[in-house]
Amino acid sequence: MNNKPVAVITGASRGIGRAIAISLASEKFDIAAIARTVESEGMESLAREITAKNVAFFPVGLDIACTDCQDEVVKNILGRYGRIDLLVNNAGVAPLKRNDLLEMTEESYERVMNINLKGPVFFAQRIAREMIYLGRQISDYRPAIIFISSISSTRTSVNRAEYCISKAGLSMASSVFADRLAADNIRVFEIRPGIINTDMTARVKDTYDKLIADGMVPQKRWGYPEDIGRAVASLARGDWDFSTGAIFDISGGLNITRL
Ligand code: NAP
């Protein structure tokens, strides 16, 4: 069995997940990086960057929405490393098309809910069971699960309601997992990013450039994937030992309810 802690990050090929994987590698976690396919320039360059930090890198292909595929993936990761110390449920998508709530289709609703909510919930369930088992095998084992939700958990956007609904559900998922797993010594946290400069926001970059310049974000700047990576590293280090179910807004103050 690995003598180093192991972090599993979903959606690690790009954006926020990639920054989280790099940040955790700097904390000396061995990495299992999940994306839909392992054969991409993103995963290959991530492998180079992670292994340069002298930790192990294991690329794993999984469509997180495929709950039937998750068991085999967990077994493969355990086969490679023998343990999982941290799960970062980061993979997520926006609707393919922004539609007014009254035009939202069932197809788009199901796609977004399956990837953003159902998949992460059952992946957390599968890995939590394993963490409970590992807790009896490994001394000094400090497992944690982190859900990457969004400012959209609590703020509405009427042209991407399915995204907001999925993230609100993910926030509750974080709370119920935290409650259920507290006595098993598994900490569960929610990170709520604000507006982060990634592929997901590329389509609306000009709109947000203007809104940010006009002061919508109190700290008056875009967030970057590394902002989230640093927050995850702080939680992963164990600095928040007497805390579970907590919500961390990493949004430049967008969470503040202004008059
Ligand atoms: P991104 O740049 O679009 O990257 C999305 C990642 O998720 C990619 O690695 C992608 O991998 C993976 N992914 C997508 N569908 C998947 C699936 N079905 N199964 C497995 N992996 C899948 O997005 P991001 O901005 O980094 O967002 C990451 C998370 O942060 C998401 O949950 C998002 O909702 C949340 N968030 C983002 C923002 C923002 O402003 N960007 C704000 C708040 C919250 P492949 O496509 O390579 O398979």
PDB file of all heavy atoms in Angstrom, residues 11 27 40 44 54 69 71 92 97 108 111 143 159 186 211 225 247 256:
ATOM      1  N   GLY A  11     -12.598  15.658 -13.299  1.00  0.00           N
ATOM      2  CA  GLY A  11     -12.505  16.850 -14.157  1.00  0.00           C
ATOM      3  C   GLY A  11     -11.138  17.496 -14.050  1.00  0.00           C
ATOM      4  O   GLY A  11     -11.016  18.722 -13.966  1.00  0.00           O
ATOM      5  N   GLU A  27       1.500  19.400  -2.439  1.00  0.00           N
ATOM      6  CA  GLU A  27       1.345  18.977  -1.029  1.00  0.00           C
ATOM      7  C   GLU A  27       1.766  17.522  -0.833  1.00  0.00           C
ATOM      8  O   GLU A  27       1.513  16.926   0.205  1.00  0.00           O
ATOM      9  CB  GLU A  27      -0.120  19.137  -0.584  1.00  0.00           C
ATOM     10  CG  GLU A  27      -0.620  20.567  -0.585  1.00  0.00           C
ATOM     11  CD  GLU A  27       0.034  21.435   0.486  1.00  0.00           C
ATOM     12  OE1 GLU A  27       0.371  20.906   1.554  1.00  0.00           O
ATOM     13  OE2 GLU A  27       0.222  22.640   0.209  1.00  0.00           O
ATOM     14  N   SER A  40      -5.698  13.017 -24.028  1.00  0.00           N
ATOM     15  CA  SER A  40      -5.864  14.409 -24.443  1.00  0.00           C
ATOM     16  C   SER A  40      -4.577  15.148 -24.115  1.00  0.00           C
ATOM     17  O   SER A  40      -3.817  14.730 -23.227  1.00  0.00           O
ATOM     18  CB  SER A  40      -7.047  15.053 -23.708  1.00  0.00           C
ATOM     19  OG  SER A  40      -6.738  15.220 -22.342  1.00  0.00           O
ATOM     20  N   GLU A  44      -2.034  14.727 -20.856  1.00  0.00           N
ATOM     21  CA  GLU A  44      -0.610  14.422 -21.047  1.00  0.00           C
ATOM     22  C   GLU A  44       0.279  15.499 -20.424  1.00  0.00           C
ATOM     23  O   GLU A  44       1.269  15.192 -19.761  1.00  0.00           O
ATOM     24  CB  GLU A  44      -0.313  14.229 -22.539  1.00  0.00           C
ATOM     25  CG  GLU A  44      -0.776  12.852 -23.014  1.00  0.00           C
ATOM     26  CD  GLU A  44      -0.945  12.743 -24.512  1.00  0.00           C
ATOM     27  OE1 GLU A  44      -0.322  13.539 -25.250  1.00  0.00           O
ATOM     28  OE2 GLU A  44      -1.717  11.855 -24.945  1.00  0.00           O
ATOM     29  N   ASN A  54       7.662  14.877  -8.338  1.00  0.00           N
ATOM     30  CA  ASN A  54       8.050  13.635  -7.649  1.00  0.00           C
ATOM     31  C   ASN A  54       6.911  12.967  -6.899  1.00  0.00           C
ATOM     32  O   ASN A  54       7.107  12.447  -5.797  1.00  0.00           O
ATOM     33  CB  ASN A  54       9.230  13.875  -6.699  1.00  0.00           C
ATOM     34  CG  ASN A  54      10.496  14.123  -7.483  1.00  0.00           C
ATOM     35  OD1 ASN A  54      10.727  13.484  -8.512  1.00  0.00           O
ATOM     36  ND2 ASN A  54      11.284  15.076  -7.017  1.00  0.00           N
ATOM     37  N   CYS A  69     -20.249   2.667 -14.040  1.00  0.00           N
ATOM     38  CA  CYS A  69     -18.813   2.543 -14.345  1.00  0.00           C
ATOM     39  C   CYS A  69     -17.947   2.864 -13.123  1.00  0.00           C
ATOM     40  O   CYS A  69     -16.738   2.634 -13.140  1.00  0.00           O
ATOM     41  CB  CYS A  69     -18.417   3.506 -15.463  1.00  0.00           C
ATOM     42  SG  CYS A  69     -19.507   3.508 -16.888  1.00  0.00           S
ATOM     43  N   ASP A  71     -17.713   1.784  -9.954  1.00  0.00           N
ATOM     44  CA  ASP A  71     -17.143   0.743  -9.100  1.00  0.00           C
ATOM     45  C   ASP A  71     -15.801   0.262  -9.669  1.00  0.00           C
ATOM     46  O   ASP A  71     -14.804   0.151  -8.930  1.00  0.00           O
ATOM     47  CB  ASP A  71     -18.136  -0.420  -8.985  1.00  0.00           C
ATOM     48  CG  ASP A  71     -17.623  -1.485  -8.049  1.00  0.00           C
ATOM     49  OD1 ASP A  71     -17.400  -1.171  -6.872  1.00  0.00           O
ATOM     50  OD2 ASP A  71     -17.406  -2.629  -8.504  1.00  0.00           O
ATOM     51  N   GLY A  92     -17.813  19.089 -13.828  1.00  0.00           N
ATOM     52  CA  GLY A  92     -19.139  19.681 -13.972  1.00  0.00           C
ATOM     53  C   GLY A  92     -19.250  20.365 -15.315  1.00  0.00           C
ATOM     54  O   GLY A  92     -18.238  20.668 -15.954  1.00  0.00           O
ATOM     55  N   LYS A  97     -26.589  24.913 -24.205  1.00  0.00           N
ATOM     56  CA  LYS A  97     -27.160  26.166 -24.710  1.00  0.00           C
ATOM     57  C   LYS A  97     -27.864  26.864 -23.560  1.00  0.00           C
ATOM     58  O   LYS A  97     -28.567  26.216 -22.776  1.00  0.00           O
ATOM     59  CB  LYS A  97     -28.181  25.800 -25.802  1.00  0.00           C
ATOM     60  CG  LYS A  97     -28.738  26.950 -26.556  1.00  0.00           C
ATOM     61  CD  LYS A  97     -29.333  26.474 -27.892  1.00  0.00           C
ATOM     62  CE  LYS A  97     -30.022  27.621 -28.591  1.00  0.00           C
ATOM     63  NZ  LYS A  97     -31.446  27.705 -28.333  1.00  0.00           N
ATOM     64  N   SER A 108     -31.609  18.644 -21.668  1.00  0.00           N
ATOM     65  CA  SER A 108     -30.542  19.443 -21.064  1.00  0.00           C
ATOM     66  C   SER A 108     -30.553  19.287 -19.543  1.00  0.00           C
ATOM     67  O   SER A 108     -29.501  19.167 -18.903  1.00  0.00           O
ATOM     68  CB  SER A 108     -30.713  20.922 -21.446  1.00  0.00           C
ATOM     69  OG  SER A 108     -29.712  21.679 -20.812  1.00  0.00           O
ATOM     70  N   ARG A 111     -28.997  15.910 -18.674  1.00  0.00           N
ATOM     71  CA  ARG A 111     -27.534  15.906 -18.902  1.00  0.00           C
ATOM     72  C   ARG A 111     -26.817  16.618 -17.747  1.00  0.00           C
ATOM     73  O   ARG A 111     -25.879  16.079 -17.152  1.00  0.00           O
ATOM     74  CB  ARG A 111     -27.214  16.608 -20.227  1.00  0.00           C
ATOM     75  CG  ARG A 111     -25.742  16.848 -20.448  1.00  0.00           C
ATOM     76  CD  ARG A 111     -25.444  17.539 -21.782  1.00  0.00           C
ATOM     77  NE  ARG A 111     -24.056  17.941 -21.839  1.00  0.00           N
ATOM     78  CZ  ARG A 111     -23.595  19.113 -21.402  1.00  0.00           C
ATOM     79  NH1 ARG A 111     -24.431  20.013 -20.885  1.00  0.00           N
ATOM     80  NH2 ARG A 111     -22.313  19.399 -21.468  1.00  0.00           N
ATOM     81  N   PRO A 143      -9.113  11.090   6.102  1.00  0.00           N
ATOM     82  CA  PRO A 143      -9.811  11.241   4.823  1.00  0.00           C
ATOM     83  C   PRO A 143     -10.717  12.466   4.760  1.00  0.00           C
ATOM     84  O   PRO A 143     -11.190  12.964   5.782  1.00  0.00           O
ATOM     85  CB  PRO A 143     -10.653   9.965   4.754  1.00  0.00           C
ATOM     86  CG  PRO A 143     -10.882   9.589   6.175  1.00  0.00           C
ATOM     87  CD  PRO A 143      -9.661  10.009   6.932  1.00  0.00           C
ATOM     88  N   ASN A 159     -31.340  31.834 -17.287  1.00  0.00           N
ATOM     89  CA  ASN A 159     -31.043  31.212 -18.587  1.00  0.00           C
ATOM     90  C   ASN A 159     -30.123  29.991 -18.466  1.00  0.00           C
ATOM     91  O   ASN A 159     -29.611  29.495 -19.455  1.00  0.00           O
ATOM     92  CB  ASN A 159     -30.446  32.246 -19.550  1.00  0.00           C
ATOM     93  CG  ASN A 159     -29.143  32.826 -19.022  1.00  0.00           C
ATOM     94  OD1 ASN A 159     -28.718  32.489 -17.907  1.00  0.00           O
ATOM     95  ND2 ASN A 159     -28.510  33.690 -19.795  1.00  0.00           N
ATOM     96  N   ILE A 186     -14.494  11.319   8.708  1.00  0.00           N
ATOM     97  CA  ILE A 186     -14.296  11.786   7.324  1.00  0.00           C
ATOM     98  C   ILE A 186     -14.843  13.206   7.245  1.00  0.00           C
ATOM     99  O   ILE A 186     -16.036  13.436   7.447  1.00  0.00           O
ATOM    100  CB  ILE A 186     -15.032  10.888   6.304  1.00  0.00           C
ATOM    101  CG1 ILE A 186     -14.550   9.437   6.424  1.00  0.00           C
ATOM    102  CG2 ILE A 186     -14.824  11.416   4.877  1.00  0.00           C
ATOM    103  CD1 ILE A 186     -15.366   8.440   5.611  1.00  0.00           C
ATOM    104  N   LEU A 211     -18.896  43.276 -16.400  1.00  0.00           N
ATOM    105  CA  LEU A 211     -19.548  43.242 -15.082  1.00  0.00           C
ATOM    106  C   LEU A 211     -18.524  43.371 -13.954  1.00  0.00           C
ATOM    107  O   LEU A 211     -18.755  44.067 -12.957  1.00  0.00           O
ATOM    108  CB  LEU A 211     -20.344  41.937 -14.919  1.00  0.00           C
ATOM    109  CG  LEU A 211     -21.616  41.827 -15.778  1.00  0.00           C
ATOM    110  CD1 LEU A 211     -22.156  40.396 -15.753  1.00  0.00           C
ATOM    111  CD2 LEU A 211     -22.692  42.795 -15.275  1.00  0.00           C
ATOM    112  N   PRO A 225      -8.166  29.459 -11.682  1.00  0.00           N
ATOM    113  CA  PRO A 225      -8.183  28.091 -11.155  1.00  0.00           C
ATOM    114  C   PRO A 225      -7.262  27.912  -9.950  1.00  0.00           C
ATOM    115  O   PRO A 225      -7.585  27.191  -9.004  1.00  0.00           O
ATOM    116  CB  PRO A 225      -7.726  27.263 -12.360  1.00  0.00           C
ATOM    117  CG  PRO A 225      -8.188  28.042 -13.551  1.00  0.00           C
ATOM    118  CD  PRO A 225      -8.026  29.490 -13.165  1.00  0.00           C
ATOM    119  N   ILE A 247     -18.718  25.612   4.349  1.00  0.00           N
ATOM    120  CA  ILE A 247     -18.780  26.138   2.977  1.00  0.00           C
ATOM    121  C   ILE A 247     -17.716  27.224   2.842  1.00  0.00           C
ATOM    122  O   ILE A 247     -17.660  28.141   3.669  1.00  0.00           O
ATOM    123  CB  ILE A 247     -20.163  26.765   2.701  1.00  0.00           C
ATOM    124  CG1 ILE A 247     -21.264  25.730   2.918  1.00  0.00           C
ATOM    125  CG2 ILE A 247     -20.229  27.347   1.291  1.00  0.00           C
ATOM    126  CD1 ILE A 247     -22.651  26.357   3.060  1.00  0.00           C
ATOM    127  N   ILE A 256     -21.114  38.208  -0.728  1.00  0.00           N
ATOM    128  CA  ILE A 256     -21.647  39.212   0.211  1.00  0.00           C
ATOM    129  C   ILE A 256     -22.987  39.719  -0.312  1.00  0.00           C
ATOM    130  O   ILE A 256     -23.102  40.059  -1.493  1.00  0.00           O
ATOM    131  CB  ILE A 256     -20.658  40.402   0.346  1.00  0.00           C
ATOM    132  CG1 ILE A 256     -19.311  39.916   0.902  1.00  0.00           C
ATOM    133  CG2 ILE A 256     -21.247  41.504   1.212  1.00  0.00           C
ATOM    134  CD1 ILE A 256     -18.170  40.911   0.706  1.00  0.00           C
TER     135      ILE A 256
END
